[in-house]
Amino acid sequence: MLLLLAGCSGDRGEGGGPRKDATPPAARRWQPRPGTSWQWQLSGRLDTSVRAAVYDIDGFDHPKATVAALHRQGRRVVCYVSTGAWEDFRPDAGRFPKSVLGRGNGWKGERWLDIRRTDVLRPLMAARLDMCREKGFDAVEPDNMDGYRNRTGFPLTAADQLRYNRLVAELAHDRGMAVGLKNDLDQIPQLAGDFDFAVNEQCAQYGECAELEPFVAAGKAVFHVEYELPAGRFCAQSRRLGLSSLLKRYELGAWRRAC
């Protein structure tokens, strides 16, 4: 059952009108607006009863039929894939050469990628985004897009990150899908024009939510979650800034509380 905290306004916004598949890809690409309601579920059995216009779900774990079912309910669907880290549990894990695998990123079975090696990573990421497109997803949430600010095992620079993130955005757009910038707050001024929305974790906890304003100002949604702050500590600010904010648990199951 969906629980809403007192003082929060509940879900709001729509995911967009019906898709017109006969139009060119750039014309039919979905553009989520500020305030669009969303659900982010990456673990457990998918709960499709949550009142949200957008579902962000794991691209590998869900078949085309799940995406189609959500579309029939009027939802837009975002394909979660990791583009900046290798995951040993994915079916394509064996296609990544050891030379591009760096330090662990803090999650079991995951290691940072050498994003400088676009000769290797471009076809691998293109294949992942082909999967998203073939399953009918409207958009992509590429994760681990800020390796240059972490101990990856590679001497990554801000310029390396900008180049790689723009490559990922290009690959998504070439396939007719919208794409979100995940975290990477420091590069928002350079990247807000390349991405269609933002996905952020814990900007309220770290006092960084104002840095996401360029997306809202451009009419682009910011899908935001907090894990440790009570909703009463961030919902008012989220509404003021135009963010689509949730309180979630770290495992990103079905449970949520929406502002």
Side-chain angles (χ1 to χ4, degrees), residues 1 5 9 68 70 75 78 130 133 140 158 180 203-204 234 247 255:
M1 180 176 67
L5 285 186
S9 63
L70 287 166
R75 275 69 178 266
V78 179
D130 283 342
R133 177 185 58 185
V140 180
C203 69
F234 65 87
L247 177 63
W255 184 89

Side-chain angles (χ1 to χ4, degrees), residues 1-2 8 28 34 53 68 75 77 105 109 120 142 152 185 191 194 196 202 235:
M1 180 176 67
L2 174 64
C8 289
R28 72 170 184 258
R75 275 69 178 266
V77 195
N105 70 350
V120 173
T152 62
L185 291 167
L191 292 174
D194 296 282
D196 305 291
Q202 298 175 283
C235 278

Side-chain angles (χ1 to χ4, degrees), residues 35-219:
T36 300
S37 61
W38 76 307
Q39 163 67 325
W40 196 19
Q41 184 177 347
L42 301 183
S43 68
R45 183 176 180 178
L46 184 64
D47 180 357
T48 61
S49 69
V50 174
R51 187 181 60 178
V54 176
Y55 271 64
D56 188 337
I57 62 177
D58 191 284
F60 281 102
D61 288 350
H62 296 285
K64 184 176 183 178
T66 298
V67 179
L70 287 166
H71 281 160
R72 287 194 296 271
Q73 295 176 359
R75 275 69 178 266
R76 295 286 184 168
V77 195
V78 179
C79 183
Y80 171 91
V81 290
S82 182
T83 51
W86 175 79
E87 302 156 303
D88 67 4
F89 48 88
R90 298 302 189 186
D92 63 353
R95 297 182 59 196
F96 289 76
K98 291 183 179 179
S99 61
V100 301
L101 307 185
R103 294 176 179 267
N105 70 350
W107 295 93
K108 184 178 179 181
E110 299 187 24
R111 295 168 65 179
W112 290 105
L113 291 169
D114 186 354
I115 60 170
R116 300 170 301 172
R117 295 293 309 278
T118 55
D119 58 322
V120 173
L121 297 181
R122 183 183 184 114
L124 292 170
M125 297 308 155
R128 287 188 167 190
L129 299 193
D130 283 342
M131 173 193 70
C132 296
R133 177 185 58 185
E134 289 161 7
K135 290 183 177 182
F137 283 94
D138 300 288
V140 180
E141 182 213 333
D143 199 8
N144 298 298
M145 297 282 275
D146 55 358
Y148 83 105
R149 297 193 66 214
N150 293 271
R151 295 182 63 204
T152 62
F154 306 111
L156 304 182
T157 67
D160 295 327
Q161 195 71 61
L162 285 172
R163 187 180 307 110
Y164 187 71
N165 290 2
R166 285 177 173 140
L167 169 62
V168 172
E170 175 189 345
L171 292 173
H173 288 160
D174 285 349
R175 287 154 178 78
M177 295 182 292
V179 60
L181 180 64
K182 179 70 170 290
N183 297 324
D184 196 18
L185 291 167
D186 288 348
Q187 295 188 324
I188 284 176
Q190 296 99 320
L191 292 174
D194 296 282
F195 288 81
D196 305 291
F197 59 95
V199 180
N200 176 266
E201 297 170 291
Q202 298 175 283
C203 69
Q205 181 172 342
Y206 297 107
E208 300 168 334
C209 292
E211 296 182 41
L212 291 151
E213 288 181 324
F215 277 96
V216 178

Side-chain angles (χ1 to χ4, degrees), residues 34-35 212-222 240-244:
L212 291 151
E213 288 181 324
F215 277 96
V216 178
K220 301 176 180 182
V222 174
R240 186 170 64 253
L241 293 175
L243 312 185
S244 301

